Amino acid sequence: MKKIEAIIKPFKLDEVKEALQELGVQGMTVIEAKGYGRQKGQTELYRGAEYVVDFLPKIKIEVVVADDHLSRALEAISAAARTGRIGDGKIFVSEILDVVRIRTGETGTVAI
């Protein structure tokens, strides 16, 4: 099993969610976040004064998938989140050793 953590632009959330649902991914955690990468924030103008917004609004999506679904899930997220402009985000993949569904006690991929 793999955990996918995707940092994306907020307005792309619905497209990413729909793309993952089409693949049959059933569970997802969405977290509102702020951050920056290479874009290093942006300069805003407020009442005639310039100021730098260091942290830009982002959305972090966490999904756990079976190993055989990983490549399709990564492709779906990448395609749905891509705008072609700086700040599209990143996807991180990590190994999941086990999963336990609290309600039933099921473990492994059936608990996803």
Side-chain angles (χ1 to χ4, degrees):
M1 292 175 289
K2 302 286 191 252
K3 178 180 180 183
I4 300 171
E5 297 176 75
I7 311 295
I8 63 170
K9 292 182 175 184
F11 65 89
K12 287 294 197 171
L13 176 60
D14 288 335
E15 290 176 51
V16 171
K17 182 182 92 169
E18 290 170 12
L20 289 171
Q21 284 177 336
E22 287 177 14
L23 290 179
V25 175
Q26 295 191 349
M28 143 184 332
T29 300
V30 177
I31 302 164
E32 290 185 22
K34 290 183 183 251
Y36 69 91
R38 289 186 179 156
Q39 36 184 162
K40 301 210 176 31
Q42 59 192 24
T43 303
E44 299 280 337
L45 194 61
Y46 179 72
R47 293 189 179 183
E50 278 192 4
Y51 66 99
V52 176
V53 178
D54 291 333
F55 296 103
L56 301 172
K58 299 290 182 182
I59 294 289
K60 180 179 181 181
I61 298 171
E62 296 181 355
V63 179
V64 176
V65 298
D67 290 335
D68 56 337
H69 288 71
L70 178 64
S71 62
R72 288 183 291 159
L74 292 176
E75 289 171 18
I77 293 169
S78 294
R82 183 176 296 121
T83 66
R85 302 183 66 197
I86 193 165
D88 275 351
K90 296 244 186 327
I91 301 173
F92 303 98
V93 179
S94 52
E95 189 77 31
I96 297 294
L97 299 177
D98 202 3
V99 177
V100 177
R101 179 175 287 142
I102 295 172
R103 179 178 54 87
T104 63
E106 295 171 309
T107 61
T109 55
V110 295
I112 298 177

